């Protein structure tokens, strides 16, 4: 009979023995200076991790990180024309998408016309609303109830404040509307758009803490949330840290939710960040988004909406959509990323990162709450200042060449010409207008360098 214990002939090696061997191999070089590096979050990353020195805080429950179903592939559709958007949704579902996220311009869109002939069984539909309307939310809810459709309504007044600088109307009226929607809806109606923090340059601990603080504002101001909350996250390039980030996010959310007797797990939609995407050598963006989608899947995202390789300078187009969708199809159906439940479980490095990120984020969250909460700190500018400080540190690393974007600040192709290919303006727009707060501005690392190159093109 075969012996299933494959390693019984080998003696266990302790973490102390590993370190001693490494120090011997270093031939006098300092272990910490040579092999230990510190992340922007203040986490010291060791060259190896071992089960005999792992630490799990009593406040961190690693069992709270397992999603119940495999991730779904989401197609984003901005609804300019209802009929064309309906046709596009049907085509993308036939070509491999499993969920559709509609972003609507206004509340005049006909839900029945937009959803005509679309399959409802086993497909999630997200309605991202850049406006806040009780009547329109009720229309979507009525359609979902009547047709037994899986629909998520995405309302996020705090996200609107952070990104735009103003509420939809004002604090009191926005939350009055949400409290009116709550008892009537049978579908999830609330979203935390936390991707803005990452895209603006916040480090991972800040992203987690601000997301948690935003959730806490909603729990405090909407007493009867009786549906799951959707959390949109942007996934960066630090592969293992991003896996740990999503795991830590679910832990932190469930810990907070239990304090409010909210028994629903959060629903996480992940999208690759724009922050490291580039205008020049744009095909490298496909490599970046592939690893970022992998992090999202391994981290336990419920849904993944990929970013097209040309999204920063081209309008929505069928080719870019198809490539981004196919990246996820390859990961799911050819790389079998959906076949293993909680694949990062038992990886000492990832579990240690998960715990450390969760603990640091929890500490920052408590500090935010002690000083008035997220909305208060957005109004007084504290959150914006902290994000700007983090973003500036990262920008300095990029400008000095210590943070590398291939094809941009490392091995650039001087023959690249992009000036005539810009359908969208790929840089931060400065619009002078009156706002309640200074908005959080999303900015890519390569913008200044790219503007200089564009000015030099013939």
């Amino acid at each position: 009979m075969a012996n299933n214990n494959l390693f019984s002939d080998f003696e266990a090696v302790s973490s102390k023995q590993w370190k001693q061997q490494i120090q011997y191999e270093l031939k006098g070089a300092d272990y910490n200076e040579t092999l230990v590096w510190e992340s922007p979050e203040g986490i010291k990353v060791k060259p190896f991790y071992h089960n005999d020195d792992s630490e799990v805080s009593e406040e961190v429950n690693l069992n709270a990180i397992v999603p119940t179903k495999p991730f779904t592939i989401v197609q984003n559709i901005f609804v300019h024309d209802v009929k064309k958007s309906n046709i596009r949704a049907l085509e993308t579902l036939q070509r491999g998408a499993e969920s559709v996220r509609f972003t609507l311009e206004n509340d005049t869109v006909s839900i029945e016309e937009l959803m005509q002939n679309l399959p409802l069984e086993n497909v999630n539909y997200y309605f991202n609303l850049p406006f806040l309307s009780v009547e329109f939310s009720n229309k979507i809810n009525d359609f979902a109830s009547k047709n037994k459709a899986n629909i998520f309504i995405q309302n996020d007044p705090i996200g609107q404040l952070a990104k735009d600088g103003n509420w939809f109307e004002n604090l009191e009226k926005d939350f009055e509307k949400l409290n009116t929607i709550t008892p009537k809806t049978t579908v999830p109606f609330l979203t935390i758009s936390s991707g803005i923090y990452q895209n603006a340059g916040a480090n991972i601990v800040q992203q987690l803490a601000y997301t948690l603080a935003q959730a806490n504002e909603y729990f405090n101001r909407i007493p009867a949330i009786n549906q799951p909350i959707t959390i949109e996250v942007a996934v960066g390039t630090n592969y293992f840290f991003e896996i740990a980030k999503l795991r830590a996010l679910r832990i932190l959310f469930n810990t907070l939710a239990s304090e409010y007797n909210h028994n629903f797990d959060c629903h996480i939609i992940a999208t690759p960040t724009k922050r490291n995407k580039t205008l020049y050598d744009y095909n490298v963006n496909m490599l970046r988004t592939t690893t970022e989608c992998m992090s999202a899947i391994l981290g336990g995202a419920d849904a993944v909406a990929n970013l097209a390789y040309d999204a920063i300078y081209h309008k929505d187009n069928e080719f870019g959509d198809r490539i981004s969708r196919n990246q996820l199809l390859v990961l799911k159906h050819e790389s079998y990323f959906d076949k293993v439940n909680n694949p990062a479980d038992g990886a000492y490095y990832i579990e240690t990162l998960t715990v450390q990120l969760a603990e640091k984020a929890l500490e920052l969250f408590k500090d935010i709450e002690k000083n008035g909460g997220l909305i208060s700190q957005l109004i007084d500018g504290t959150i914006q200042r902290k994000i700007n400080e983090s973003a500036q540190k990262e920008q300095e690393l990029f400008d000095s060449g210590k943070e590398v974007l291939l094809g941009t600040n490392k091995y650039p192709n001087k023959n690249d010409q992009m000036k005539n290919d810009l359908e969208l303006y790929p840089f931060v727009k400065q619009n002078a207008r009156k706002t309640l707060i200074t908005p959080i501005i999303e900015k890519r690392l390569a913008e200044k360098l790219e503007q200089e190159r564009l000015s030099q093109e013939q």
Side-chain angles (χ1 to χ4, degrees):
M1 180 180 290
N3 185 358
N4 292 325
N5 191 354
L6 299 178
F7 302 103
S8 59
D9 293 337
F10 299 92
E11 293 184 7
V13 181
S14 68
S15 61
K16 183 178 179 180
Q17 289 173 296
W18 274 113
K19 188 171 181 179
Q20 286 175 341
Q21 182 63 32
I22 290 172
Q23 287 176 321
Y24 172 77
E25 297 290 345
L26 286 173
K27 302 184 185 305
D30 185 85
Y31 174 88
N32 290 318
E33 290 184 5
T34 306
L35 297 179
V36 177
W37 60 274
E38 186 170 329
S39 77
E41 295 77 20
I43 292 175
K44 294 185 183 300
V45 179
K46 300 183 295 185
F48 74 96
Y49 288 80
H50 196 284
N51 67 340
D52 66 10
D53 59 4
S54 62
E55 296 179 4
V56 178
S57 167
E58 292 182 358
E59 293 183 284
V60 176
N61 176 17
L62 287 173
N63 293 322
I65 57 179
V66 184
T68 55
K69 297 179 181 178
F71 78 98
T72 62
I73 299 170
V74 180
Q75 178 68 57
N76 290 319
I77 297 178
F78 195 95
V79 181
H80 293 289
D81 182 291
V82 175
K83 290 184 178 178
K84 289 182 180 179
S85 297
N86 171 265
I87 294 170
R88 185 178 169 201
L90 186 59
E91 288 177 347
T92 58
L93 289 169
Q94 291 171 342
R95 295 178 181 179
E98 298 161 327
S99 300
V100 175
R101 176 163 54 185
F102 293 114
T103 297
L104 310 184
E105 286 187 302
N106 51 57
D107 60 1
T108 64
V109 173
S110 167
I111 303 301
E112 289 75 13
E113 188 177 357
L114 181 62
M115 296 292 291
Q116 187 175 10
N117 298 324
L118 293 180
L120 300 179
E121 189 175 353
N122 299 322
V123 179
N124 290 335
Y125 293 93
Y126 304 91
F127 284 81
N128 182 33
L129 307 183
F131 55 87
L132 184 58
S133 167
V134 174
E135 293 75 19
F136 196 74
S137 293
N138 288 340
K139 285 182 181 179
I140 298 174
N141 181 67
D142 291 344
F143 177 89
S145 299
K146 180 181 178 181
N147 296 279
K148 297 181 180 180
N150 299 318
I151 287 178
F152 295 76
I153 304 173
Q154 296 191 252
N155 292 307
D156 185 12
I158 300 177
Q160 165 72 11
L161 174 68
K163 186 172 185 177
D164 184 73
N166 290 310
W167 297 97
F168 289 113
E169 199 164 348
N170 58 52
L171 186 153
E172 290 75 19
K173 290 186 178 180
D174 281 6
F175 278 96
E176 181 182 339
K177 288 181 179 179
L178 289 179
N179 276 294
T180 302
I181 293 170
T182 304
K184 298 180 180 180
T185 186
T186 58
V187 302
F189 70 99
L190 198 57
T191 286
I192 297 172
S193 306
S194 70
I196 187 173
Y197 305 127
Q198 199 284 337
N199 278 298
N203 65 44
I204 290 176
V205 168
Q206 290 172 329
Q207 294 168 45
L208 290 170
Y210 300 158
T211 303
L212 195 64
Q214 191 166 334
N216 198 48
E217 292 282 3
Y218 284 130
F219 281 130
N220 273 319
R221 297 173 186 272
I222 311 171
I225 300 176
N226 56 2
Q227 297 293 338
I229 294 177
T230 301
I231 303 179
E232 292 185 347
V233 299
V235 180
T237 192
N238 195 339
Y239 187 73
F240 293 107
F241 271 70
E242 292 293 333
I243 295 172
K245 179 178 82 175
L246 267 65
R247 291 160 62 87
L249 174 59
R250 203 176 290 274
I251 290 169
L252 291 168
F253 178 87
N254 288 340
T255 301
L256 176 67
S258 66
E259 296 296 317
Y260 291 91
N261 296 316
H262 181 81
N263 299 317
F264 299 95
D265 193 5
C266 57
H267 185 84
I268 298 175
I269 305 176
T271 302
T273 181
K274 289 183 179 179
R275 187 159 171 78
N276 65 350
K277 302 305 178 288
T278 56
L279 187 60
Y280 291 93
D281 209 355
Y282 49 75
N283 286 320
V284 180
N285 290 333
M286 281 187 277
L287 303 179
R288 298 180 181 122
T289 55
T290 297
T291 61
E292 288 156 4
C293 287
M294 289 165 65
S295 290
I297 298 164
L298 296 177
D302 297 282
V304 181
N306 197 9
L307 187 72
Y309 74 98
D310 59 350
I312 62 174
Y313 68 92
H314 268 172
K315 295 178 182 178
D316 288 348
N317 61 90
E318 196 276 335
F319 183 77
D321 283 349
R322 180 163 60 88
I323 294 297
S324 63
R325 189 169 57 247
N326 285 350
Q327 289 173 258
L328 290 171
L329 287 168
V330 168
L331 289 175
K332 188 165 191 175
H333 299 297
E334 296 185 30
S335 302
Y336 305 109
F337 267 53
D338 63 328
K339 298 302 182 186
V340 180
N341 188 29
N342 196 13
D345 188 34
Y348 304 138
Y349 178 37
I350 294 175
E351 290 196 349
T352 302
L353 289 180
T354 300
V355 171
Q356 290 178 316
L357 290 173
E359 288 176 340
K360 285 179 175 290
L362 192 59
E363 183 180 348
L364 179 55
F365 163 74
K366 290 177 180 178
D367 181 73
I368 293 169
E369 294 306 307
K370 187 173 71 173
N371 289 283
L374 183 78
I375 293 175
S376 176
Q377 292 210 340
L378 281 170
I379 292 172
D380 68 24
T382 300
I383 301 296
Q384 296 90 320
R385 177 172 53 82
K386 294 293 187 182
I387 292 176
N388 286 338
E389 290 172 358
S390 174
Q392 187 57 39
K393 290 178 182 177
E394 188 180 17
Q395 189 68 54
E396 289 170 0
L397 290 173
F398 173 80
D399 293 344
S400 67
K402 292 180 180 178
E403 180 158 338
V404 173
L405 292 182
L406 289 176
T408 301
N409 68 341
K410 187 86 168 176
Y411 308 123
N413 180 357
K414 299 297 184 181
N415 295 321
D416 270 1
Q417 300 282 311
M418 291 299 299
K419 183 180 289 186
N420 297 325
D421 292 330
L422 305 184
E423 294 179 353
L424 299 173
Y425 186 70
F427 310 114
V428 172
K429 295 180 181 179
Q430 300 291 341
N431 298 322
R433 57 191 177 86
K434 187 176 181 180
T435 59
L436 176 65
I437 69 168
T438 301
I440 296 174
I441 305 298
E442 299 180 351
K443 185 177 181 181
R444 294 180 300 107
L445 288 168
E447 288 195 18
K448 181 181 177 182
L449 189 59
E450 290 171 349
Q451 285 176 304
E452 292 173 354
R453 287 187 61 175
L454 281 172
S455 66
Q456 295 169 4
E457 286 188 20
Q458 301 300 320

